[in-house]
Amino acid sequence: MLEHCAIYPGTFDPITNGHLDIIQRAHALFGKLVVAIARSKTKTPLFSLEERLEMMRLSVSSLGVECVGFEGLLVDLARERHARYIIRGLRALSDFEFEFQMGYANKSLNPQLETIYFMPALQNAFISASVVRSILAHKGQIAHLVPSSVVDFIQRRGDVDRL
Protein backbone atom coordinates (compact mmCIF):
# COMPACT_ATOMS: atom_id res chain seq x y z
CA MET A 1 0.00 0.00 0.00
CA LEU A 2 1.32 3.45 -0.89
CA GLU A 3 1.70 6.01 1.89
CA HIS A 4 0.19 8.82 -0.15
CA CYS A 5 -3.29 10.26 -0.27
CA ALA A 6 -5.37 9.90 -3.42
CA ILE A 7 -8.58 11.67 -4.41
CA TYR A 8 -11.31 10.08 -6.51
CA PRO A 9 -13.44 13.01 -7.75
CA GLY A 10 -16.77 12.89 -9.51
CA THR A 11 -20.37 13.93 -9.50
CA PHE A 12 -21.56 10.46 -8.42
CA ASP A 13 -25.18 11.18 -9.36
CA PRO A 14 -25.71 8.47 -8.07
CA ILE A 15 -22.78 6.23 -7.14
CA THR A 16 -22.77 3.10 -9.31
CA ASN A 17 -21.24 -0.35 -8.96
CA GLY A 18 -18.55 0.85 -11.38
CA HIS A 19 -17.64 3.71 -9.05
CA LEU A 20 -17.63 1.38 -6.05
CA ASP A 21 -15.36 -1.07 -7.88
CA ILE A 22 -12.81 1.70 -8.52
CA ILE A 23 -13.09 2.98 -4.94
CA GLN A 24 -12.40 -0.48 -3.52
CA ARG A 25 -9.37 -1.05 -5.74
CA ALA A 26 -7.95 2.45 -5.20
CA HIS A 27 -8.45 2.13 -1.45
CA ALA A 28 -6.42 -1.10 -1.49
CA LEU A 29 -3.50 0.77 -3.11
CA PHE A 30 -3.34 3.99 -1.09
CA GLY A 31 -2.88 4.80 2.57
CA LYS A 32 -5.73 7.28 2.34
CA LEU A 33 -8.50 7.71 -0.23
CA VAL A 34 -10.77 10.74 -0.35
CA VAL A 35 -13.91 10.52 -2.47
CA ALA A 36 -14.63 14.08 -3.55
CA ILE A 37 -18.15 14.81 -4.74
CA ALA A 38 -18.41 17.87 -6.95
CA ARG A 39 -21.22 20.34 -6.43
CA SER A 40 -21.15 20.63 -10.24
CA LYS A 41 -22.75 23.93 -11.20
CA THR A 42 -22.35 23.09 -14.90
CA LYS A 43 -24.47 19.93 -14.56
CA THR A 44 -27.95 19.58 -13.18
CA PRO A 45 -27.68 16.63 -10.79
CA LEU A 46 -30.75 14.56 -10.01
CA PHE A 47 -29.65 14.33 -6.38
CA SER A 48 -28.48 17.21 -4.18
CA LEU A 49 -24.87 17.31 -3.00
CA GLU A 50 -26.03 16.30 0.47
CA GLU A 51 -27.95 13.31 -0.93
CA ARG A 52 -24.99 12.23 -3.06
CA LEU A 53 -22.71 12.49 -0.02
CA GLU A 54 -25.12 10.40 2.04
CA MET A 55 -25.39 7.72 -0.67
CA MET A 56 -21.60 7.62 -0.96
CA ARG A 57 -21.05 7.40 2.78
CA LEU A 58 -23.58 4.57 3.04
CA SER A 59 -21.91 2.74 0.15
CA VAL A 60 -18.34 2.98 1.48
CA SER A 61 -18.95 2.90 5.24
CA SER A 62 -17.05 -0.37 5.71
CA LEU A 63 -13.95 0.89 3.89
CA GLY A 64 -12.87 3.84 6.00
CA VAL A 65 -12.87 6.13 2.98
CA GLU A 66 -13.31 9.86 3.58
CA CYS A 67 -16.15 11.50 1.63
CA VAL A 68 -16.23 15.25 1.05
CA GLY A 69 -18.19 17.67 -1.08
CA PHE A 70 -16.34 20.34 -3.00
CA GLU A 71 -16.59 23.08 -5.58
CA GLY A 72 -13.83 24.90 -7.34
CA LEU A 73 -10.61 23.47 -8.69
CA LEU A 74 -9.73 19.88 -7.91
CA VAL A 75 -6.06 20.85 -7.61
CA ASP A 76 -6.98 23.18 -4.73
CA LEU A 77 -8.74 20.35 -2.91
CA ALA A 78 -5.76 18.07 -3.58
CA ARG A 79 -3.44 20.66 -2.07
CA GLU A 80 -5.70 21.07 1.01
CA ARG A 81 -5.84 17.28 1.52
CA HIS A 82 -2.13 16.76 0.77
CA ALA A 83 -3.07 14.40 -2.06
CA ARG A 84 -0.52 13.53 -4.73
CA TYR A 85 -2.77 11.31 -6.84
CA ILE A 86 -6.04 11.74 -8.67
CA ILE A 87 -8.01 8.59 -9.48
CA ARG A 88 -10.16 8.55 -12.60
CA GLY A 89 -12.17 5.82 -14.28
CA LEU A 90 -12.07 4.96 -17.97
CA ARG A 91 -14.95 2.87 -19.30
CA ALA A 92 -14.46 3.37 -23.01
CA LEU A 93 -12.33 5.15 -25.55
CA SER A 94 -14.83 8.02 -25.48
CA ASP A 95 -13.85 8.72 -21.83
CA PHE A 96 -10.16 8.85 -22.67
CA GLU A 97 -10.01 12.15 -24.58
CA PHE A 98 -11.77 14.14 -21.85
CA GLU A 99 -9.81 12.47 -19.04
CA PHE A 100 -6.54 12.94 -20.92
CA GLN A 101 -7.18 16.68 -21.25
CA MET A 102 -8.23 17.01 -17.60
CA GLY A 103 -5.16 15.10 -16.43
CA TYR A 104 -2.86 17.47 -18.32
CA ALA A 105 -4.79 20.54 -17.15
CA ASN A 106 -4.45 19.43 -13.52
CA LYS A 107 -0.76 18.68 -14.06
CA SER A 108 -0.25 22.17 -15.51
CA LEU A 109 -1.75 23.65 -12.32
CA ASN A 110 0.15 21.34 -9.98
CA PRO A 111 3.17 19.53 -11.49
CA GLN A 112 3.41 17.17 -8.46
CA LEU A 113 -0.11 15.83 -9.03
CA GLU A 114 -0.34 12.51 -10.86
CA THR A 115 -3.50 11.10 -12.42
CA ILE A 116 -3.99 7.34 -12.29
CA TYR A 117 -6.61 5.75 -14.53
CA PHE A 118 -8.61 2.68 -13.56
CA MET A 119 -10.71 0.57 -15.86
CA PRO A 120 -13.80 -0.80 -14.10
CA ALA A 121 -14.29 -4.55 -13.90
CA LEU A 122 -15.75 -5.90 -17.13
CA GLN A 123 -19.22 -6.47 -15.63
CA ASN A 124 -19.35 -2.75 -14.72
CA ALA A 125 -17.87 -1.31 -17.91
CA PHE A 126 -21.22 -0.27 -19.38
CA ILE A 127 -22.58 1.35 -16.22
CA SER A 128 -22.71 5.12 -15.95
CA ALA A 129 -24.64 7.40 -13.63
CA SER A 130 -26.44 8.86 -16.66
CA VAL A 131 -27.64 5.37 -17.63
CA VAL A 132 -28.88 4.85 -14.06
CA ARG A 133 -30.68 8.23 -14.08
CA SER A 134 -32.33 7.42 -17.42
CA ILE A 135 -33.55 4.06 -16.12
CA LEU A 136 -34.84 5.75 -12.96
CA ALA A 137 -36.69 8.35 -15.03
CA HIS A 138 -38.51 5.52 -16.80
CA LYS A 139 -39.18 3.67 -13.55
CA GLY A 140 -36.89 0.77 -14.49
CA GLN A 141 -34.86 -1.61 -12.37
CA ILE A 142 -31.46 -0.33 -11.14
CA ALA A 143 -30.65 -2.76 -8.33
CA HIS A 144 -28.04 -4.55 -10.45
CA LEU A 145 -26.29 -1.25 -11.32
CA VAL A 146 -25.85 0.46 -7.95
CA PRO A 147 -24.90 -0.58 -4.40
CA SER A 148 -27.81 -1.91 -2.34
CA SER A 149 -27.47 1.07 0.02
CA VAL A 150 -28.30 3.36 -2.93
CA VAL A 151 -31.41 1.31 -3.75
CA ASP A 152 -32.48 1.59 -0.09
CA PHE A 153 -31.79 5.35 -0.08
CA ILE A 154 -33.86 5.93 -3.23
CA GLN A 155 -36.70 3.78 -1.89
CA ARG A 156 -36.71 5.76 1.37
CA ARG A 157 -36.73 8.96 -0.69
CA GLY A 158 -39.98 7.69 -2.14
CA ASP A 159 -39.83 9.21 -5.61
CA VAL A 160 -39.35 5.98 -7.53
CA ASP A 161 -42.00 3.27 -7.76
CA ARG A 162 -39.90 0.28 -8.85
CA LEU A 163 -36.26 -0.61 -8.22
Side-chain angles (χ1 to χ4, degrees):
M1 178 171 18
L2 296 175
E3 294 298 319
H4 299 289
C5 177
I7 294 181
Y8 181 32
T11 308
F12 304 109
D13 186 37
I15 177 177
T16 69
N17 288 337
H19 295 134
L20 186 58
D21 170 48
I22 290 171
I23 290 167
Q24 290 167 334
R25 290 189 291 136
H27 180 258
L29 287 176
F30 291 93
K32 181 175 182 183
L33 180 65
V34 176
V35 177
I37 302 177
R39 182 166 299 280
S40 195
K41 291 181 180 179
T42 59
K43 295 181 180 179
T44 308
L46 177 61
F47 298 98
S48 71
L49 177 61
E50 293 73 24
E51 289 170 322
R52 290 179 281 138
L53 275 164
E54 184 177 345
M55 285 187 281
M56 183 62 72
R57 288 179 178 132
L58 290 168
S59 298
V60 301
S61 62
S62 66
L63 296 177
V65 170
E66 183 180 2
C67 303
V68 299
F70 82 102
E71 58 184 310
L73 292 175
L74 178 59
V75 294
D76 293 338
L77 179 65
R79 192 172 295 112
E80 289 170 21
R81 298 291 174 157
H82 306 287
R84 291 203 38 220
Y85 300 94
I86 302 296
I87 305 298
R88 297 299 296 162
L90 293 175
R91 291 181 312 256
L93 188 58
S94 57
D95 291 340
F96 180 77
E97 186 173 351
F98 174 78
E99 294 298 342
F100 187 74
Q101 290 173 337
M102 290 305 300
Y104 276 130
N106 288 331
K107 188 84 166 164
S108 76
L109 296 169
N110 181 347
Q112 283 73 49
L113 202 56
E114 296 291 341
T115 302
I116 298 174
Y117 302 96
F118 280 76
M119 296 184 321
L122 190 56
Q123 72 267 21
N124 298 320
F126 74 97
I127 303 172
S128 70
S130 59
V131 165
V132 171
R133 288 191 308 274
S134 179
I135 293 169
L136 276 173
H138 294 92
K139 301 189 184 323
Q141 301 283 334
I142 63 162
H144 62 296
L145 304 174
V146 300
S148 59
S149 58
V150 172
V151 173
D152 295 342
F153 177 89
I154 293 171
Q155 284 177 331
R156 280 194 314 273
R157 190 177 142 154
D159 60 345
V160 179
D161 296 334
R162 284 187 307 143
L163 293 172

